[in-house]
Amino acid sequence: MGLDVNKSLVGWGPTNDSFTLGNTGLSFKLARRVNGGYYFSVNRPEYISVNTSDMTTSNEYRITIYKSADLSYQNLVPAGLLGTIVYSNFKFADLYLANPIILNAASCQTPEVSVQMGDDYELKEFNKAGDTSRLIKFNIGLNQCQSGISKVTYSLKANTQVMDQKKGIVALSSSSTAKGIGLKLMDDSGQPIALDTTYPFNGFNTTGTSFNIPLSAAYYRLVDGRLEPGTANASVTFIVNYL
């Protein structure tokens, strides 16, 4: 017994008894109950392998839908004919999806953040290696968070050279003209944020939809290099995981 699929909605899966639901990242398997006992897979028509004595229109069927590939932000499987259950030239039943499947990936909207560090610094603030400027606080927004998220973690990844991974210090961008300083990344209390390290966001709760992850940054006098004034920019990628 096989499934002759409606190719506008369904495609062939990675195995003989699996079928994809378009390009949604979802697939399904179809099985029939044999003589009140175990379930027997319904395959593609070209892979039919079944005892003809088991053929009956009164079989019980079950469908299993599972994730088979990466899901996009939103997936829609429209209602309609998925395929026809066939054996040889005989059609046993049409398989319909009565209602559409709408699958939303659990996530939040995280807009880009531009942190204004200021332009009124003086070289005397960085007399020796390790000196830092005033803390500039900022937030990473988590907006329009969807239901189904129970935990949020985050990490920071440098887009410039890492000067000290554990202390969260990164080099300025190549377009910057200032010399001898880097940027130090911290939490809102001034504790260093280690780069490429996952942190839990303890401010998240399942009843809210919008949150702020509070962080801070400061310029940092590097050990090596001559101190010179100029523009001082850096960029960091913020990575969020929804669990």
Side-chain angles (χ1 to χ4, degrees), residues 109-115 138-141 143 159 235-238:
Q109 298 293 320
T110 54
E112 292 185 359
V113 176
S114 177
V115 181
F138 64 96
N139 294 316
I140 300 294
N143 304 323
N159 296 330
S235 67
V236 175
T237 298
F238 185 78

Side-chain angles (χ1 to χ4, degrees), residues 95-169:
L95 178 65
Y96 281 90
L97 184 63
N99 298 303
I101 299 173
I102 301 175
L103 180 65
N104 292 318
S107 63
C108 305
Q109 298 293 320
T110 54
E112 292 185 359
V113 176
S114 177
V115 181
Q116 302 301 316
M117 297 296 294
D119 57 4
D120 56 345
Y121 296 92
E122 297 183 11
L123 291 183
K124 65 182 181 182
E125 298 180 57
F126 307 98
N127 283 328
K128 63 181 183 301
D131 281 350
T132 57
S133 64
R134 58 187 179 273
L135 264 61
I136 303 297
K137 295 192 174 185
F138 64 96
N139 294 316
I140 300 294
L142 302 179
N143 304 323
Q144 301 178 34
C145 296
Q146 299 169 354
S147 60
I149 303 172
S150 58
K151 181 181 178 181
V152 171
T153 63
Y154 67 93
S155 61
L156 300 179
K157 182 178 182 62
N159 296 330
T160 57
Q161 181 183 355
V162 175
M163 308 305 293
D164 191 318
Q165 184 267 335
K166 290 184 178 180
K167 291 184 178 179
I169 301 172

Side-chain angles (χ1 to χ4, degrees), residues 14 39 48 58 64 78 96 115 120 134 142 146 181 202 210 214:
Y39 279 86
I48 292 175
S58 62
T64 303
Y96 281 90
V115 181
D120 56 345
R134 58 187 179 273
L142 302 179
Q146 299 169 354
I181 63 172
N202 296 323
S210 294

